[in-house]
Amino acid sequence: GGADGLVAAMSSKPTLRRHFKAQRHLGEAATRSIQEAVAALIGQSNCGSRHVGIYWPLPGEADVRPLRVGRHPPLALPVADGCGGLIYRSWGEDPLQPDGCGIPAPAAGDALKPDQLALLLVPALAVDGAGIRLGYGGGYYDRLRADPAWAAVPAWVVLPSTCLAAEALPREPWDVPFTGWITEQGAGRPA
């Protein structure tokens, strides 16, 4: 068997989503390694006063929220409207409230503009060697990154190495390749 022909055999996105969701196993050591790789990437990025867009982890996703501890650039969280729209707001001290998808997010504050973010860290079910991400199917990040100003913000997929697709994932005309990916093995970039 092996992974050869896997994507071809499971060409439907729902089938691929189920497969990669089942591949997502992150123990404490892998999570720590991902957190260290993310911190290293941020350290190498010239963030200045710009925000780093992170995410509130769903079950099975790497938790990058510990970036709040210690010295770091300001952090921002995505706020989904439940209808396909996504903005980022600065993650301050105010309590978070469920957004339109029920995920904790800042309830108040202005939407950040693309030039206010140094980089985005985005969760995924899978990513392929070309930087094409398989998400959950809501299209929120696709719509955000369809805007050239947002597409210009370096965006990294964060996921376990078991979710790196050996073959090309289905690609839609609107898919914008990601800058790279971060796993417990470190950072990688499209060839």
Side-chain angles (χ1 to χ4, degrees):
D4 293 339
L6 177 72
V7 172
M10 302 189 305
S11 58
S12 84
K13 284 186 177 181
T15 305
L16 285 166
R17 285 187 182 102
R18 279 193 301 277
H19 169 77
F20 283 109
K21 203 166 192 177
Q23 298 302 310
R24 227 172 24 184
H25 305 291
L26 274 173
E28 283 184 41
T31 297
R32 258 192 319 278
S33 294
I34 288 174
Q35 291 166 346
E36 290 166 6
V38 165
L41 175 72
I42 291 170
Q44 295 162 6
S45 303
N46 185 10
C47 296
S49 62
R50 293 179 299 161
H51 288 73
V52 171
I54 67 168
Y55 56 89
W56 193 271
L58 297 176
E61 292 176 348
D63 189 352
V64 295
R65 294 173 300 176
L67 289 170
R68 279 185 67 112
V69 178
R71 294 193 56 208
H72 58 77
L75 300 178
L77 285 171
V79 183
D81 62 9
C83 302
L86 186 74
I87 62 169
Y88 277 86
R89 284 191 180 125
S90 185
W91 185 9
E93 299 306 314
D94 292 336
L96 301 177
Q97 295 181 0
D99 68 6
C101 293
I103 299 170
D110 292 335
L112 296 171
K113 294 177 176 49
D115 63 1
Q116 292 176 284
L117 284 117
L119 62 112
L120 301 177
L121 300 170
V122 177
L125 290 170
V127 67
D128 68 18
I132 299 300
R133 170 187 174 268
L134 179 68
Y136 295 91
Y140 288 89
Y141 289 105
D142 294 328
R143 278 188 277 285
L144 180 76
R145 296 184 72 237
D147 176 334
W150 280 105
V153 177
W156 294 77
V157 175
V158 180
L159 74 178
S161 61
T162 53
C163 295
L164 295 175
E167 298 176 40
L169 291 168
R171 185 173 184 167
E172 305 298 340
W174 55 81
D175 282 335
V176 177
F178 278 74
T179 308
W181 50 87
I182 299 171
T183 72
E184 71 277 11
Q185 297 169 351
R189 288 179 173 264

